[in-house]
Amino acid sequence: MQKIKLHEFNNLTKNLNFCIYNICYTDSEKEKIKYINLINKKYNAEKLTIFLKKICNKIGAKILNIANQNYIPYGSSVTFLISEEQIKKKNIINNKSAIILAHLNKSHLCIHTYPEKHPDTKISTFRIDIEISTCGLISPLKILNYLILKFKSSIITIDYRIRGFTRNTIGKKYFIDHKINSIKNFLSNDIKEKYDSIDLNIHQENIFYTKMILKNINIKKYILNYKKYKIKIKKIKSLLWKEMKEIYYGKNL
């Protein structure tokens, strides 16, 4: 980021929304339930809380408050209230109904999971939404590569927006404090090579959007029992690609 001598606090809010989809071939109701249960176990609220703590560490944020929840029958959510620096007790007003944090209510991390199985198709899907909203010097763009590698995503949508403005010491407004032409500027070359992508950017509004889909898939990782369906691989692969393209393009094909 540019080194700007600011008047008081950096009030620019940097908001990153990261959505991933993974899919699986599930031929029977038993396999669908097995897949959803595996996802629910792997991404329950307790494990997601540990994961978000790692994100906080990587972006240099301090955790102020954690709220997490598992849902019945499936799904979970975790929200962190974060700050750029450690908060002293004298800066916190605490009563029975609220905690008030000056300059910090814009900074948070949250994650939601959406396992899904459809009764009439042989494909089950899983979606994770991650929102990172920061102010000050903390940048959510630092962890893009980590997120993509962590979830081994089939389809990814990322939108990034800078809101508000901040002022320097002589009153000049700054509506952005770092250089960016595209979200892909912050992705590693090996990740960019693995995905096809669409870029939509409105530079004058500081809005950036990138959508990505794997160029190739390892079919073994998309079937719960690969040996059982080995003779049907070509057909299964066609079904998986159809599902992926429908999600990617946002329409039924």
Side-chain angles (χ1 to χ4, degrees), residues 35-44 71 73-76 115:
Y35 172 73
I36 296 298
N37 284 335
L38 285 171
I39 289 297
N40 212 44
K41 184 178 179 180
K42 187 175 182 180
Y43 298 106
N44 59 41
Y71 299 106
Y74 306 112
S76 56

Side-chain angles (χ1 to χ4, degrees), residues 203-217:
H203 294 92
Q204 65 270 28
E205 298 296 333
N206 293 325
I207 297 173
F208 307 90
Y209 177 81
T210 297
K211 184 159 54 173
M212 304 163 64
I213 184 171
L214 276 175
K215 293 178 180 178
N216 300 293
I217 61 173

Side-chain angles (χ1 to χ4, degrees), residues 97-154:
S97 61
I99 297 177
I100 302 170
L101 303 161
H103 291 295
L104 299 170
N105 59 345
K106 292 181 292 185
S107 298
H108 66 271
L109 282 76
C110 60
I111 187 167
H112 307 282
T113 67
Y114 302 89
E116 184 263 353
K117 60 183 179 69
H118 194 278
D120 299 325
T121 69
K122 297 180 184 295
I123 304 292
S124 295
T125 63
F126 172 59
R127 180 176 120 233
I128 288 184
D129 286 351
I130 301 173
E131 181 184 351
I132 306 175
S133 184
T134 68
C135 49
L137 298 176
I138 298 173
S139 173
L141 294 170
K142 292 179 181 179
I143 43 83
L144 278 178
N145 294 307
Y146 171 72
L147 292 175
I148 293 169
L149 294 172
K150 171 70 177 178
F151 293 108
K152 300 175 183 175
S153 319
S154 302

Side-chain angles (χ1 to χ4, degrees), residues 23 25 123 219 222 236-244:
I23 63 176
Y25 179 78
I123 304 292
I219 192 69
Y222 290 77
I236 292 172
K237 198 168 185 177
S238 177
L239 286 172
L240 290 167
W241 274 116
K242 181 177 182 291
E243 182 77 5
M244 287 173 63

Side-chain angles (χ1 to χ4, degrees), residues 11-216:
N11 287 312
L12 287 169
T13 298
K14 303 168 184 75
N15 185 259
L16 177 75
N17 287 282
F18 181 89
C19 174
I20 69 139
Y21 292 88
N22 282 322
I23 63 176
C24 184
Y25 179 78
T26 48
D27 188 67
S28 64
E29 184 62 22
K30 184 179 179 180
E31 287 186 357
K32 291 175 184 177
I33 293 171
K34 182 180 178 180
Y35 172 73
I36 296 298
N37 284 335
L38 285 171
I39 289 297
N40 212 44
K41 184 178 179 180
K42 187 175 182 180
Y43 298 106
N44 59 41
E46 291 73 25
K47 290 182 178 179
L48 291 176
T49 299
I50 294 170
F51 169 66
L52 286 189
K53 286 180 179 179
K54 290 181 180 178
I55 290 183
C56 285
N57 183 56
K58 287 180 179 294
I59 66 174
K62 309 301 179 188
I63 301 168
L64 301 178
N65 186 56
I66 301 173
N68 57 31
Q69 181 66 50
N70 287 311
Y71 299 106
I72 298 174
Y74 306 112
S76 56
S77 298
V78 182
T79 301
F80 281 28
L81 185 65
I82 61 174
S83 69
E84 186 176 315
E85 298 178 359
Q86 196 67 50
I87 302 304
K88 297 178 181 179
K89 287 185 178 180
K90 67 179 183 179
N91 293 329
I92 301 178
I93 303 171
N94 196 350
N95 57 41
K96 291 182 179 179
S97 61
I99 297 177
I100 302 170
L101 303 161
H103 291 295
L104 299 170
N105 59 345
K106 292 181 292 185
S107 298
H108 66 271
L109 282 76
C110 60
I111 187 167
H112 307 282
T113 67
Y114 302 89
E116 184 263 353
K117 60 183 179 69
H118 194 278
D120 299 325
T121 69
K122 297 180 184 295
I123 304 292
S124 295
T125 63
F126 172 59
R127 180 176 120 233
I128 288 184
D129 286 351
I130 301 173
E131 181 184 351
I132 306 175
S133 184
T134 68
C135 49
L137 298 176
I138 298 173
S139 173
L141 294 170
K142 292 179 181 179
I143 43 83
L144 278 178
N145 294 307
Y146 171 72
L147 292 175
I148 293 169
L149 294 172
K150 171 70 177 178
F151 293 108
K152 300 175 183 175
S153 319
S154 302
I155 301 141
I156 308 164
T157 62
I158 313 166
D159 58 86
Y160 178 65
R161 180 170 185 172
I162 301 96
R163 292 184 172 88
F165 62 88
T166 193
R167 296 179 187 270
N168 67 8
T169 53
I170 60 172
K172 180 181 177 181
K173 295 185 183 73
Y174 286 85
F175 296 91
I176 190 168
D177 61 359
H178 60 291
K179 292 180 179 180
I180 177 172
N181 294 315
S182 164
I183 290 169
K184 289 193 290 186
N185 296 157
F186 297 85
L187 299 179
S188 64
N189 289 331
D190 61 324
I191 287 176
K192 286 187 282 189
E193 288 174 2
K194 291 179 181 177
Y195 290 86
D196 285 322
S197 62
I198 296 172
D199 239 14
L200 298 170
N201 303 304
I202 309 174
H203 294 92
Q204 65 270 28
E205 298 296 333
N206 293 325
I207 297 173
F208 307 90
Y209 177 81
T210 297
K211 184 159 54 173
M212 304 163 64
I213 184 171
L214 276 175
K215 293 178 180 178
N216 300 293

